[in-house]
Amino acid sequence: MKKPELLLIDDEPMVGQRLKGGLEKLGCAVEICEDPARALDLIRKKNFDIVITDVMMPEISGMQVLEAARTASTQTRVIIITGFATANLAREAMEKGAYDMIAKPFKPADLRKLVVKAAVEMGYSDIKEY
Amino acid sequence: MSIVAIVSKYADESSKIAEFTALRLGYRLVTMDDLIKTAAKDYNIPEKDLAQVTRDLTLWQHLFRKKKLKLVSLLEHKLCELMADDGIVFCGYLGYPIFKEISHALKVLILADPQTGKSAAADSAKQPDLLSNDGIAGWFEKIYQMDMEDPKLYDLTLNLLQMDISEAGDIIINTLKQKRFEPMTYSMNCMCNLELACQVKTSLVERLGDVEVKSHDGTIYVYSKAFKKGGRKAAKEVKEDIMRMPGVNYVEVYRERAPFDEIHI
């Protein structure tokens, strides 16, 4: 059974540590990346089904990650997670092809729901919220 | 579905555009009158009182200002509730602070021939329960401390001197097709936060007067200069009262105005 490939990018290590287990439990193959520059390399080398990215990161922003992911594959669903959410940022993200956006702090279950929705849309029918 | 908010001091023209747009999109049309009627019924308040507070600007100079602020707050709360339904076109001059926070709300300003204003002013002289066009702009400025016709407040400004009603409606419908106006988890959560903030503000405004409320995921932030006078005791009482409201997990109170740009209503 093929698992959806998921990349989670956040320069704050705690975020990845907190979310990884839950996302794997859904049935995703999860890669965590704290360095956005390295994340861009990963995105260019491998087609991820779902990319979850923070926005405010040193040197490279989540918007750049979003653009890179959508350039690498228009099929990739990019979910934005940010502590600096505004209506303008949300609109910019949607215009650049984001799948969805959640403001931090959020409940991990809310993110999992979004991941399930995205994965099911991509044809991963075995994935479901626990 | 998205939300269209049509704001204008030209009530006749903007309501025709709103009607056209709602019909073409299959959205529900909500006018100021609809809002007042629904709020009056749901909150068991005389329709006359709600109508008066949105129409008679002179009353704001007098006593009972806090009571009037509460009625406006109730109308904004009702507007939040109505927006939770799928797809609405709202036409009116109330609720701007709510729309500005919702990324899937397309905010449209309608400009028209100022001569229309003059005839409307004459109409309002005959019918004192109606605000003139300038009266509407004055009301907006009084309540929201903003110039209603400042294009920076809107996503789209349409001038009816340059187009007719159906062209204006078509532009709104085409603009709404842009991906940026699609609802998303963030904007839907914003609506829930705004609804709770409105509810809290309604419960406080008669006590505190000018108060701003922000809400995020059950945490409530209250900003009011009134806390300076009452000190800790007043703040404690407010906190306790808000904590009893459904959906509230935590309350913080501040003695200053909310920071600019932050979500508050």
Side-chain angles (χ1 to χ4, degrees):
Chain A
M1 187 185 70
K2 195 174 177 293
K3 290 179 171 184
E5 300 278 350
L6 189 151
L7 175 65
L8 194 155
I9 309 148
D10 198 309
D11 60 324
E12 178 55 59
M14 182 68 87
V15 177
Q17 286 164 19
R18 191 165 166 233
L19 297 171
K20 193 178 187 215
L23 295 167
E24 283 176 337
K25 216 169 157 186
L26 290 177
C28 297
V30 181
E31 248 178 275
I32 303 291
C33 190
E34 290 157 24
D35 175 6
R38 200 183 131 247
L40 289 183
D41 284 341
L42 284 171
I43 286 167
R44 285 183 199 115
K45 284 176 194 156
K46 183 173 167 184
N47 267 352
F48 287 95
D49 297 299
I50 299 167
V51 171
I52 301 171
T53 181
D54 185 21
V55 175
M56 299 287 270
M57 294 183 287
E59 291 174 31
I60 293 164
S61 81
M63 288 298 154
Q64 286 169 279
V65 172
L66 163 64
E67 285 173 315
R70 296 288 295 173
T71 305
S73 167
T74 52
Q75 295 305 304
T76 303
R77 291 349 191 220
V78 182
I79 299 169
I80 305 287
I81 52 173
T82 177
F84 298 91
T86 62
N88 284 343
L89 182 75
R91 286 177 171 184
E92 185 189 345
M94 291 305 272
E95 205 58 51
K96 287 182 171 162
Y99 179 72
D100 211 322
M101 180 171 128
I102 301 190
K104 286 182 188 173
F106 55 82
K107 295 183 190 87
D110 290 345
L111 180 67
R112 290 200 300 267
K113 255 184 231 163
L114 269 183
V115 169
V116 170
K117 191 175 152 226
V120 168
E121 274 177 26
M122 297 181 86
Y124 293 98
S125 51
D126 291 327
I127 191 165
K128 56 181 74 134
E129 176 70 294
Y130 50 86
Chain B
M1 277 197 240
S2 309
I3 294 163
V4 180
I6 298 177
V7 179
S8 179
K9 65 182 190 183
Y10 304 99
D12 286 349
E13 290 79 358
S14 57
S15 58
K16 280 177 197 156
I17 294 169
E19 207 173 312
F20 176 92
T21 309
L23 192 69
R24 287 274 301 274
L25 289 169
Y27 282 17
R28 179 182 173 190
L29 173 66
V30 179
T31 63
M32 286 290 282
D33 282 345
D34 298 331
L35 179 66
I36 288 166
K37 279 185 182 128
T38 314
K41 191 176 157 223
D42 293 356
Y43 299 129
N44 200 23
I45 296 170
E47 205 179 303
K48 180 175 64 71
D49 291 359
L50 287 170
Q52 199 174 39
V53 86
T54 60
R55 287 171 191 165
D56 191 345
L57 201 59
T58 57
L59 283 174
W60 287 87
Q61 321 294 339
H62 302 123
L63 293 169
F64 311 119
R65 187 170 173 272
K66 286 181 181 174
K67 186 170 182 232
K68 289 172 183 68
L69 284 172
K70 180 169 181 169
L71 293 177
V72 171
S73 192
L74 275 171
L75 287 168
E76 287 179 336
H77 182 217
K78 184 47 64 186
L79 187 58
C80 275
E81 281 183 5
L82 292 173
M83 287 194 310
D85 291 343
D86 259 358
I88 75 156
V89 174
F90 175 69
C91 178
Y93 47 92
L94 188 133
Y96 180 81
I98 298 167
F99 296 120
K100 90 175 167 82
E101 302 300 345
I102 302 170
S103 61
H104 65 265
L106 170 65
K107 302 179 294 292
V108 185
L109 170 68
I110 304 293
L111 302 174
D113 184 352
Q115 289 304 318
T116 321
K118 284 179 187 162
S119 66
D123 286 349
S124 75
K126 287 176 220 156
Q127 289 176 272
D129 62 328
L130 285 179
L131 268 184
S132 68
N133 296 354
D134 288 338
I136 290 172
W139 190 94
F140 190 95
E141 194 173 351
K142 184 106 189 154
I143 304 296
Y144 300 128
Q145 288 89 48
M146 283 181 261
D147 174 8
M148 181 190 227
E149 294 199 334
D150 180 355
K152 289 200 291 290
L153 302 181
Y154 304 91
D155 301 304
L156 197 59
T157 300
L158 300 174
N159 186 350
L160 290 180
L161 285 168
Q162 309 292 334
M163 65 189 78
D164 62 22
I165 303 285
S166 61
E167 278 176 289
D170 285 339
I171 292 171
I172 293 170
I173 292 160
N174 283 326
T175 307
L176 201 64
K177 286 177 191 161
Q178 291 178 27
K179 218 170 171 310
R180 69 178 70 188
F181 298 112
E182 282 180 20
M184 67 188 87
T185 304
Y186 163 70
S187 62
M188 297 308 283
N189 288 345
C190 264
M191 286 181 54
C192 296
N193 290 335
L194 286 163
E195 191 181 331
L196 185 57
C198 276
Q199 199 182 338
V200 172
K201 184 176 176 177
T202 303
S203 74
L204 296 177
V205 76
E206 214 167 351
R207 192 188 325 179
L208 301 176
D210 290 309
V211 58
E212 290 167 30
V213 180
K214 186 166 78 115
S215 153
H216 180 85
D217 209 13
T219 301
I220 302 293
Y221 307 86
V222 182
Y223 304 85
S224 175
K225 285 181 181 170
F227 294 130
K228 282 183 179 165
K229 296 171 206 161
R232 284 185 184 177
K233 191 170 172 254
K236 189 170 171 272
E237 282 171 9
V238 163
K239 269 188 175 183
E240 284 170 359
D241 288 349
I242 300 171
M243 278 303 286
R244 286 190 207 106
M245 296 173 77
V248 176
N249 304 322
Y250 187 71
V251 184
E252 287 183 15
V253 297
Y254 297 91
R255 294 174 188 182
E256 287 109 25
R257 284 183 65 86
F260 189 67
D261 264 3
E262 285 203 5
I263 301 176
H264 60 271
I265 55 124

